[in-house]
Amino acid sequence: MSRLAIALFWLMHWLPLSVLAPLGEAFGLLLYVLVAPRRKVVLTNLRLCFPELSEGERRALARRNFAVTGRSMLERGLAWWARPARLRATVRIEGLERLDALKAAGRPVILLAPHFVGLDMAGTRLSMEGDFVSVYARQKDKVFDRWLYHGRSRFNDQLLLSRHDGVRATVKAMKAGRPFYYLPDLDYGRKESIFVPFFGVPAATITGLPRLARLAGAAVVPCVTRILPGGAGYLLELGAPWADYPSDDVEADTRRMNTWLEGVIRTMPEQYYWVHRRFKTRPAGEPRFY
């Protein structure tokens, strides 16, 4: 990402959300027209996951998805530069008392945070509430990487691990009292993945959630970000810890994660990260979708 784009984000973060939101949505609709490869990925995902919709309905949903994605991109500057008081007003948290109670009891915590497009904003806002651990992937664009890293680490003492740091470092951090902001719902390839249904389609899904929960003795707390209409900001919902998780069946536990995720997506299908090729990895002998 160029320095010019970063400068644009900086300028836009001064705007009120009531102005910034429609600008971001317009930007996203422009991307829908111009970025044909990603538009094709989104439409393919929607065709696989929502076969009950007509072609016109799926295209309308894809446009809404690009609009809210564009909004999340332009509003990212708030996570990077907005003053703490504005961030607190922009992102409202429900259920924080659940996390506080688990921490007070000394229980390690995994925050299950699916890839909804408001994810980065919520992560920055949550970091204002204490010290967390998360996995950070370095970006190819060094300028963007610098500011993305800054947004995720600007408050308190955040621990950002790379994927090469391994499970041991993550478990150690959780046991030391850092909740783990975990994003396990993408296609990370065949390694450490199994095929379980996602909207009825076999999807390569990593088994990290039940494995980490067992190793750390951690509670799994759903962590869902919703972008609200217009200038209403964001809502970060921390749900009740999952009961009877993990079980002795890793596949069943991984299925449970995907089933839960499907249910949340259906409440706001336009806000999921459909630009990702979720079904890129296929079972042996199956044709590619993309």
Side-chain angles (χ1 to χ4, degrees):
M1 183 176 292
S2 69
R3 287 177 171 80
L4 180 61
I6 298 295
L8 179 64
F9 284 1
W10 181 82
L11 289 172
M12 286 198 167
H13 98 276
W14 295 105
L15 298 174
L17 272 181
S18 58
V19 175
L20 191 52
L23 284 176
E25 290 173 0
F27 174 63
L29 290 173
L30 180 63
L31 293 179
Y32 176 84
V33 174
L34 297 179
V35 188
R38 286 297 164 181
R39 182 177 69 240
K40 183 178 179 181
V41 169
V42 170
L43 289 170
T44 298
N45 285 335
L46 296 180
R47 174 176 56 81
L48 293 169
C49 295
F50 299 98
E52 71 277 10
L53 298 181
S54 68
E55 180 66 20
E57 289 171 329
R58 287 194 291 268
R59 287 190 176 275
L61 178 54
R63 287 191 291 271
R64 296 199 303 273
N65 179 243
F66 269 82
V68 76
T69 299
R71 177 180 164 182
S72 73
M73 293 171 67
L74 291 196
E75 291 175 1
R76 182 168 280 162
L78 295 173
W80 295 349
W81 297 295
R83 293 181 178 179
R86 187 178 183 191
L87 273 178
R88 290 185 186 278
T90 300
V91 185
R92 179 165 54 91
I93 302 178
E94 289 185 354
L96 188 60
E97 70 281 356
R98 294 188 172 110
L99 177 59
D100 290 340
L102 289 166
K103 291 171 63 179
R107 182 83 185 273
V109 176
I110 297 175
L111 296 172
L112 174 55
H115 277 79
F116 290 100
V117 295
L119 184 73
D120 277 324
M121 182 74 79
T124 297
R125 171 64 182 87
L126 193 61
S127 72
M128 299 172 70
E129 302 299 327
D131 301 334
F132 294 78
V133 59
S134 61
V135 175
Y136 180 76
R138 290 288 178 184
Q139 307 297 305
K140 293 181 180 179
D141 187 307
K142 292 184 178 180
V143 176
F144 179 64
D145 180 77
R146 172 191 170 190
W147 286 109
L148 185 62
Y149 190 93
H150 163 76
R152 296 186 181 184
S153 61
R154 62 183 290 212
F155 298 111
N156 293 309
D157 179 26
Q158 307 308 318
L159 177 60
L160 304 183
L161 301 174
S162 76
R163 297 197 182 280
H164 302 293
D165 288 319
V167 170
R168 182 176 299 178
T170 304
V171 171
K172 180 180 179 181
M174 281 193 282
K175 289 185 174 182
R178 294 176 180 268
F180 180 30
Y181 195 60
Y182 191 34
L183 295 69
D185 57 316
L186 299 187
D187 185 333
Y188 294 106
R190 295 185 183 278
K191 187 178 180 181
E192 298 180 356
S193 294
I194 60 175
F195 286 97
V196 293
F198 181 59
F199 284 94
V201 182
T205 308
I206 57 173
T207 59
L209 184 65
R211 291 190 299 108
L212 286 168
R214 180 172 299 282
L215 287 170
V220 173
V221 175
C223 181
V224 175
T225 307
R226 298 179 186 273
I227 297 182
L228 304 176
Y234 294 66
L235 175 62
L236 173 57
E237 300 171 316
L238 300 178
W242 281 2
D244 304 317
Y245 195 92
S247 70
D248 294 328
D249 188 334
V250 170
E251 181 176 343
D253 290 338
T254 308
R255 282 174 175 265
R256 179 176 173 181
M257 181 185 75
N258 277 4
T259 299
W260 167 81
L261 178 55
E262 288 177 28
V264 180
I265 289 173
R266 289 187 184 279
T267 69
M268 49 173 175
E270 75 284 355
Q271 294 195 31
Y272 194 58
Y273 193 60
W274 295 116
V275 296
H276 171 67
R277 291 183 291 175
R278 182 62 186 90
F279 305 104
K280 178 181 178 180
T281 304
R282 306 308 310 138
E286 282 200 9
R288 296 180 179 273
F289 292 128
Y290 309 104

